[in-house]
Amino acid sequence: MQIVDHVSVFGLEESIRGAKFPMSVDVESLSGDLTKGISNLATVPTGTGHDQWLTGVIVQFDLTFSNKAWVEAERYHFLDFVSSQSTMHRITRLDPARQCNEYVDSRIIDILREKIAAYNADQTPENYLHVLYNIPSGFRLTARMTTNYRQLKTIYQQRRTHRLPEWREFCRWVETLPEAQLITGGAASEA
């Protein structure tokens, strides 16, 4: 399953141009051409502030992650959810076998199916909670996300060798973005 889809990148050229403002006297003459100096600003260590211009490069995409990976993704302050699939609204209509990754034991999927069937037969709040609280960590949901190159730089540095394969796959996707070396500093994620 592809975890990233429907990608749009906005403002790369405009942000490169804006990154030239501090050293310019005539902003009207600036171009969006990537120069060595602007590349150097992008690849400074995270937190030094000189890579601030990467914040203007907006990236939107659909991301399909397991519940386990979503919990970790929520730590990134500038990885914004536009909208997402809802277990609260649709858990009893989703197919657990289709939603779960390959690491979820088939017995767990069978138990979840039993809980869903019990709820569909008798839709009590208690039966619903039995469904909700038995969703495994490997249950995948898709969300539309908005972020920027600067946040992707932080995520990439912290997650490219992560134990969860979803994070490594996400980082490999980051490497495919336009001018990805500004995010990765030329590094390549490990398989």
Side-chain angles (χ1 to χ4, degrees):
M1 169 182 259
Q2 186 172 331
I3 67 167
V4 180
D5 204 3
H6 301 103
V7 179
S8 297
V9 177
F10 306 95
L12 178 58
E13 217 174 288
E14 296 83 353
S15 294
I16 290 169
R17 181 181 167 276
K20 298 173 182 177
F21 284 3
M23 302 305 279
S24 177
V25 236
D26 179 14
V27 295
E28 295 304 317
S29 68
L30 299 176
S31 75
D33 297 335
L34 185 60
T35 63
K36 183 161 178 50
I38 298 307
S39 287
N40 288 342
L41 287 176
T43 57
V44 297
T46 301
T48 60
H50 295 292
D51 59 355
Q52 175 62 32
W53 74 268
L54 293 172
T55 306
V57 186
I58 306 302
V59 185
Q60 294 184 330
F61 52 93
D62 294 348
L63 180 60
T64 302
F65 259 5
S66 67
N67 282 340
K68 180 63 181 151
W70 278 125
V71 168
E72 294 179 0
E74 289 172 354
R75 76 181 306 270
Y76 296 105
H77 184 71
F78 296 106
L79 181 62
D80 295 323
F81 287 77
V82 174
S83 186
S84 65
Q85 285 184 295
S86 173
T87 54
M88 297 303 287
H89 292 297
R90 290 292 182 247
I91 186 59
T92 60
R93 295 182 183 182
L94 293 169
D95 176 10
R98 186 169 175 235
Q99 294 300 128
C100 289
N101 66 26
E102 65 271 24
Y103 303 105
V104 177
D105 191 304
S106 63
R107 295 170 296 175
I108 303 297
I109 293 170
D110 290 341
I111 291 169
L112 183 55
R113 282 185 170 143
E114 290 171 17
K115 301 290 183 188
I116 290 171
Y119 172 77
N120 286 333
D122 182 16
Q123 296 188 2
T124 66
E126 175 131 344
N127 280 347
Y128 178 77
L129 292 175
H130 280 282
V131 171
L132 197 62
Y133 287 119
N134 280 284
I135 299 171
S137 292
F139 195 85
R140 294 179 298 213
L141 296 169
T142 301
R144 182 72 179 166
M145 308 302 294
T146 297
T147 191
N148 60 61
Y149 270 33
R150 190 172 185 212
Q151 184 64 77
L152 287 173
K153 178 180 170 182
T154 299
I155 293 170
Y156 185 85
Q157 288 172 356
Q158 294 176 351
R159 302 289 172 161
R160 70 186 180 99
T161 60
H162 197 274
R163 293 174 94 172
L164 287 182
E166 291 157 297
W167 280 118
R168 293 190 309 273
E169 186 175 340
F170 181 82
C171 289
R172 282 191 297 273
W173 164 75
V174 167
E175 293 169 358
T176 70
L177 290 169
E179 304 294 352
Q181 77 280 4
L182 300 172
I183 300 167
T184 67
S189 60
E190 297 175 12

